[in-house]
Amino acid sequence: MTVPQTLADMLDNNAWKYPDETAFVWNDKRITHSQFHGRVSRLANALRRLGLKRQDRVGILSQNSLAFQEIYGSCEISGFICATINWRLAPPEMVYIINDSAPKVLIFEAAYADIVAAMKAQLTTIENYICIDGGTDFASDYEEVLALGDASGVPFRPSPDDVAFLIYTSGTTGRPKGVMLSQAGEVAAAEILGSDQRNSPADRLLIMMPLFHIGAKIIQLAQHWRGGTVVIQKGFEAQAILSAIEKERITVTHMAPTMIQSLLDSPHMGTTDTSSLRMIVYAAAPMPIPVLKRGLKLLGPVFQQQFGQTEGIGTTLLAHQHRPDGTDRDREILTSVGQASPRVNVRIVDENGEDVPTGSVGEILLTSPGVMKGYWNNTVATLETLRDGWVHTGDVGKLDDEGFLYLVDRKKDMIISGGENIYSREVEEAIVSHHAVSEVAVIGVPDEKWGEAVMAVVVVKPGASTTSEEIVDHCRTQIASYKKPRHVTFVDEIVKLPSGKIDKVRLRRIHGPG
């Protein structure tokens, strides 16, 4: 076999090299690389029989499962595009994403059957509905559809430049943007991450982060870039995760820092055998030093930080660089997000796009063979973000003379709460649609449990009245529940810059801690 150029090549390689080794563990079910290859080929063939052509989209609305990975795999091996839908979103947000990505087939978990049924009339492109856990009155049964396919697969293969995944990320315009990730780009990203993680065919990866995000998907691809086993959990529950680590002899896993803290706080921590663990990759937020110290004491030197975004992989703070009790330089490095991963380049530029001197602050730019192709149906945003192969992250940072990257500020108006990215503009548009609201500004404020919490600063219309509870309840009807404000404060006027723009720096200072 040749060096993989596409994700289809990766699937072929694993079925050839490791045919009888376990590819996935899901509950009590185990499936080998050869069996997985056969099932995804059969599913791809079945989808072809439903009328799908190369680069047609397959929508999926589901929590983590083996079927989710099979749907991904069927697109990887055939050249279909897997368009994921965040199950935590409100129905209007789902409708937008589905209609924008325009899938011909929507595959969903039975738990969302009522939601899908309620959305059906608004979905303009779906020709076939398939339910993972059994058929409904409007959807075919997943296993029955798969059984109709042929293990020979489809009569076409993906090209390296084909889009493999369409993963939506929130945008400052208030509308989600579909990030187009290519076949070759995802192979490169898997190789980059797999190299940083020192993956081997003997590794056993535990996934509990949601597969609709790139974080969970790319770490799975990094594992399967070298074969090995992936154990899937539906979601995070500390005791279940600890049990899986012990039972399955997990060597690598991926968590948000809030999950790591919950794991360390679990009463089962001290009685569970976690000696197999060699690495916990964390991302989405920094690791608080007290949590890191506890983790190192209880689990050993297993922590590794990854910085990047859906649009492109970035930097890594390696496990041996986590030394909170080391020298002053060691502690300084811990405030960084690491150095550029293999085959990744990082630049810091000023507002004119010119490189700034080492140690100076500017916008972070990333490039690698794994950057996105662009945004689906959004040429303007693509031209703004992807220029000459460089992803303009919108993050503000600086590089030191050893290439360690330090984040100074995050993307404009973005809040990270419990590992989820929340854009202020989305929340503001939801709140301002309330009949009593004249003006609103949304900011992130420190939160002991979630890292950051959403705060809404609201001006009420003259003669109108409302309450914090009403604002929060209204948000539940407009946006995903995790995006709703945890704090609402009412003011007569919102502070602004001379330009007339809301001064969010002052707002954070006024309404922050203390």
Side-chain angles (χ1 to χ4, degrees):
M1 299 292 285
T2 58
V3 174
Q5 302 298 310
T6 67
L7 296 169
D9 293 340
M10 278 179 52
L11 288 165
D12 291 346
N13 275 1
N14 285 336
W16 175 62
K17 289 181 177 179
Y18 317 109
D20 300 321
E21 298 296 326
T22 302
F24 289 103
V25 177
W26 165 243
N27 296 330
D28 295 326
K29 185 172 185 178
R30 294 168 190 271
I31 185 169
T32 67
H33 283 287
S34 177
Q35 290 169 334
F36 185 72
H37 189 279
R39 281 181 66 85
V40 301
S41 298
R42 194 177 292 278
L43 178 58
N45 183 273
L47 293 173
R48 168 65 172 169
R49 293 184 182 195
L50 292 177
L52 269 69
K53 302 183 294 295
R54 202 162 141 278
Q55 294 292 272
D56 277 345
R57 275 73 63 207
V58 178
I60 177 165
L61 175 61
S62 173
Q63 294 188 46
N64 291 0
S65 66
L66 177 59
F68 203 134
Q69 291 286 14
E70 290 176 344
I71 296 157
Y72 262 130
S74 71
C75 294
E76 292 163 16
I77 207 163
S78 65
F80 303 144
I81 300 173
C82 187
T84 64
I85 302 150
N86 181 344
W87 51 265
R88 299 183 70 184
L89 297 179
E93 295 170 306
M94 292 185 191
V95 168
Y96 173 79
I97 287 172
I98 295 169
N99 284 339
D100 186 63
S101 57
K104 288 186 176 179
V105 173
L106 179 63
I107 306 177
F108 61 91
E109 189 179 354
Y112 305 106
D114 289 345
I115 293 173
V116 174
M119 295 190 297
K120 267 191 69 183
Q122 301 174 71
L123 305 180
T124 57
T125 65
I126 307 296
E127 297 173 2
N128 289 278
Y129 292 86
I130 300 172
C131 183
I132 289 172
D133 309 299
T136 70
D137 58 351
F138 67 91
S140 302
D141 175 72
Y142 174 79
E143 289 293 339
E144 291 180 1
V145 170
L146 192 150
L148 294 174
D150 191 291
S152 63
V154 296
F156 42 79
R157 294 273 290 187
S159 72
D161 196 47
D162 279 349
V163 177
F165 313 138
L166 195 53
I167 296 181
Y168 279 77
T169 182
S170 297
T172 55
T173 61
R175 286 292 195 184
K177 293 180 289 188
V179 179
M180 295 186 289
L181 301 171
S182 73
Q183 288 269 343
E186 290 308 279
V187 171
E191 181 181 0
I192 290 165
L193 190 58
S195 175
D196 259 346
Q197 294 173 185
R198 309 186 308 280
N199 285 354
S200 81
D203 272 312
R204 299 176 65 80
L205 169 70
L206 178 64
I207 288 178
M208 81 289 297
M209 299 290 276
L211 282 165
F212 59 73
H213 275 331
I214 190 58
K217 180 55 184 172
I218 194 59
I219 203 169
Q220 174 260 312
L221 290 175
Q223 174 65 77
H224 281 163
W225 174 69
R226 290 300 314 278
T229 299
V230 175
V231 179
I232 307 167
Q233 290 278 328
K234 195 177 188 72
F236 178 83
E237 196 280 314
Q239 183 177 348
I241 297 304
L242 285 168
S243 296
I245 291 170
E246 181 176 76
K247 177 183 177 184
E248 298 294 340
R249 307 305 297 157
I250 298 300
T251 61
V252 181
T253 189
H254 170 217
M255 301 185 198
T258 51
M259 294 176 178
I260 295 171
Q261 183 167 344
S262 295
L263 206 69
L264 299 175
D265 290 340
S266 169
H268 302 277
M269 183 72 214
T271 59
T272 302
D273 181 3
T274 58
S275 60
S276 60
L277 266 181
R278 68 170 184 83
M279 183 171 292
I280 297 178
V281 180
Y282 68 95
M287 176 87 76
I289 294 299
V291 176
L292 175 60
K293 286 185 174 182
R294 284 183 63 209
L296 291 171
K297 181 179 179 180
L298 292 172
L299 297 170
V302 300
F303 298 102
Q304 185 155 300
Q305 182 181 180
Q306 194 77 37
F307 166 73
Q309 50 189 204
T310 309
E311 291 86 345
I313 203 162
T315 62
T316 305
L317 187 66
L318 298 167
H320 74 272
Q321 294 167 331
H322 286 69
R323 295 189 287 256
D325 296 319
T327 65
D328 288 345
R329 176 57 176 160
D330 289 333
R331 288 189 288 274
E332 180 184 26
I333 286 171
L334 265 179
T335 66
S336 78
V337 291
Q339 296 161 304
S341 297
R343 303 178 71 191
V344 175
N345 285 315
V346 180
R347 291 169 59 200
I348 307 294
V349 301
D350 60 23
E351 59 186 12
N352 297 316
E354 299 293 331
D355 291 308
V356 302
T358 298
S360 297
V361 171
E363 185 180 10
I364 301 168
L365 273 59
L366 304 171
T367 190
S368 78
V371 299
M372 70 170 182
K373 286 174 64 70
Y375 295 115
W376 182 262
N377 289 338
N378 199 333
T379 303
V380 172
T382 298
L383 293 173
E384 289 175 350
T385 302
L386 191 61
R387 302 176 220 163
D388 298 323
W390 290 87
V391 172
H392 290 242
T393 67
D395 290 325
V396 177
K398 61 182 180 180
L399 287 167
D400 69 17
D401 56 10
E402 291 185 290
F404 285 92
L405 176 64
Y406 300 81
L407 297 184
V408 175
D409 201 358
R410 287 194 299 265
K411 289 180 182 178
K412 184 180 179 182
D413 294 342
M414 190 176 79
I415 300 161
I416 300 179
S417 183
E420 290 283 358
N421 293 350
I422 303 169
Y423 283 83
S424 300
R425 179 67 178 272
E426 291 182 283
V427 188
E428 287 166 352
E429 290 188 354
I431 294 173
V432 83
S433 67
H434 188 282
H435 65 87
V437 174
S438 170
E439 191 176 20
V440 62
V442 166
I443 58 174
V445 294
D447 184 272
E448 185 172 334
K449 180 177 181 182
W450 302 106
E452 280 189 304
V454 177
M455 170 177 275
V457 183
V458 177
V459 177
V460 176
K461 291 177 181 176
S465 65
T466 186
T467 64
S468 299
E469 292 75 17
E470 283 185 6
I471 296 295
V472 173
D473 287 342
H474 177 72
C475 283
R476 287 193 180 99
T477 68
Q478 302 294 311
I479 53 176
S481 182
Y482 72 87
K483 299 178 185 177
K484 68 182 185 297
R486 293 184 180 276
H487 310 283
V488 179
T489 185
F490 296 94
V491 296
D492 295 328
E493 185 179 3
I494 295 175
V495 294
K496 294 183 173 66
L497 296 165
S499 64
K501 294 181 178 179
I502 292 172
D503 188 347
K504 292 202 172 179
V505 173
R506 283 186 63 196
L507 278 180
R508 293 185 190 100
R509 191 162 59 241
I510 293 167
H511 299 286

